[in-house]
Amino acid sequence: GFEELGKWEEKISKMKDKISGLKNEKLEYVSEIKIDGLKIILTYENGVFVKGATRGDGIIGEDVTENIRTIYSVPLKLNFPVDCVVVGECWLSKSELERINNARKKKGEALFANSRNAAAGSIRQLDPKIAASRKLDSFIYDIDYIKIKNKKSKIKIPDTQLEELELLKNLGFRVNKEHKLCKNIKEIEEYYQSWIKRKDKEDYGIDGVVIKINSRAVQEALGYTGKSPRWGVAYKFPAEKVTTVVEDIKVQVGRTGALTPVAHL
């Protein structure tokens, strides 16, 4: 909640002040909506798409290159011949999930519980034709690595998170436009509250807000702790509450004669 956000700001502010040359650097933040999808990592060589992977366990991901090739918003060739590794979210629209589930229902197949599960199941398909038929989409939000080979190139390494998002867009990636520069955590809270009210109006799942320090210099100085960046934090929406009705309780008899009550919900 907002209290934890305040503690995070206090902690990173103290860490920043101890780093040489950054004491006078004012903290600003970029708030981005957190898409409820599957994290993907894309690799480009000389501007050409060569590999796509899922996050996996954070250390080893799954190679899903051929399925990622089928996502129309993932460029196979960038607008500039750079080497880069970028990170984003693969997602499935709510309307596409409804179409897929209707088709599965007619075939007597199990339905996907939500669009995140459907996106994960689609991107891990062994048959790229099935992945292609499911109209997956993407938003790219981070550059892990970039090398600009041409010294005369119009593009430059970004100094801020906002410039990074702009560079991703200029390279040819689909970037979510709903990000906002926030001067303090009060503005972050206003952004967060506005999205609690608006989240269900979008055709993609949104499960919170991600906050990142705008300055790349501060980001690099603070670094990572384990798998997570110290310079970024997720601010999740409250879990949705629904009512479940217990319709019946049946007793199953196991192979050894053990009786197990099973609730039908």
Side-chain angles (χ1 to χ4, degrees), residues 87-98:
V87 182
E89 206 77 20
C90 162
W91 55 274
L92 191 82
S93 70
K94 294 172 188 172
S95 47
E96 181 65 3
L97 172 67
E98 193 179 346

Side-chain angles (χ1 to χ4, degrees), residues 14-263:
K14 281 178 184 170
M15 287 174 75
K16 174 193 73 74
D17 289 350
K18 287 177 186 170
I19 297 164
S20 174
L22 292 179
K23 187 160 187 177
N24 296 325
E25 185 100 17
K26 194 173 181 299
L27 286 179
E28 287 185 332
Y29 309 93
V30 175
S31 294
E32 302 170 36
I33 52 177
K34 188 173 179 297
I35 310 298
D36 190 17
L38 183 75
K39 188 172 181 178
I40 53 171
I41 298 103
L42 312 177
T43 303
Y44 289 79
E45 288 174 8
N46 218 27
V48 176
F49 175 63
V50 292
K51 189 187 264 187
T54 66
R55 180 185 179 181
D57 61 5
I59 299 165
I60 298 168
E62 294 169 74
D63 187 333
V64 287
T65 305
E66 293 315 307
N67 287 348
I68 284 180
R69 281 185 196 280
T70 70
I71 304 174
Y72 77 96
S73 58
V74 170
L76 300 181
K77 191 175 181 187
L78 301 179
N79 295 330
F80 298 92
V82 298
D83 289 353
C84 65
V85 178
V86 301
V87 182
E89 206 77 20
C90 162
W91 55 274
L92 191 82
S93 70
K94 294 172 188 172
S95 47
E96 181 65 3
L97 172 67
E98 193 179 346
R99 185 193 70 77
I100 292 165
N101 272 346
N102 285 338
R104 289 175 78 87
K105 195 174 184 179
K106 283 173 190 168
K107 291 180 190 170
E109 295 172 349
L111 305 187
F112 287 116
N114 52 52
S115 52
R116 190 190 188 283
N117 289 7
S122 303
I123 209 71
R124 291 180 172 131
Q125 277 289 336
L126 294 176
D127 184 356
K129 284 180 189 166
I130 295 174
S133 74
R134 289 185 179 167
K135 298 192 177 90
L136 291 159
D137 210 331
S138 69
F139 285 125
I140 305 301
Y141 52 72
D142 199 15
I143 299 172
D144 257 8
Y145 164 84
I146 188 163
K147 185 179 180 185
I148 300 163
K149 294 176 173 180
N150 183 355
K151 297 269 181 1
K152 295 174 185 172
S153 176
K154 293 176 190 171
I155 61 171
K156 69 177 190 74
I157 302 291
D159 293 325
T160 65
Q161 186 66 24
L162 276 186
E163 284 177 14
E164 183 169 328
L165 292 170
E166 194 61 32
L167 174 55
L168 283 165
K169 200 163 71 174
N170 292 339
L171 286 171
F173 294 105
R174 186 168 188 208
V175 174
N176 191 289
K177 65 182 189 298
E178 301 291 356
H179 52 266
K180 188 185 178 199
L181 180 68
C182 297
K183 306 279 183 188
N184 50 52
I185 60 170
K186 184 174 174 287
E187 288 186 11
I188 293 170
E189 182 67 14
E190 285 165 6
Y191 176 88
Y192 173 86
Q193 292 298 337
S194 75
W195 272 103
I196 286 182
K197 296 178 189 122
R198 291 166 60 194
K199 67 183 174 70
D200 296 327
K201 292 175 184 167
E202 298 296 333
D203 199 22
Y204 44 83
I206 302 167
D207 59 359
V209 167
V210 176
I211 301 115
K212 299 170 187 171
I213 291 173
N214 192 33
S215 163
R216 293 265 299 181
V218 174
Q219 282 187 15
E220 282 163 25
L222 292 177
Y224 288 74
T225 166
K227 296 176 199 169
S228 307
R230 289 192 181 94
W231 43 266
V233 69
Y235 189 180
K236 287 204 166 187
F237 294 143
E240 288 184 12
K241 291 176 183 173
V242 291
T243 303
T244 303
V245 177
V246 179
E247 293 179 339
D248 197 2
I249 294 176
K250 299 243 168 110
V251 177
Q252 282 184 354
V253 183
R255 188 169 50 82
T256 60
L259 301 177
T260 309
V262 177

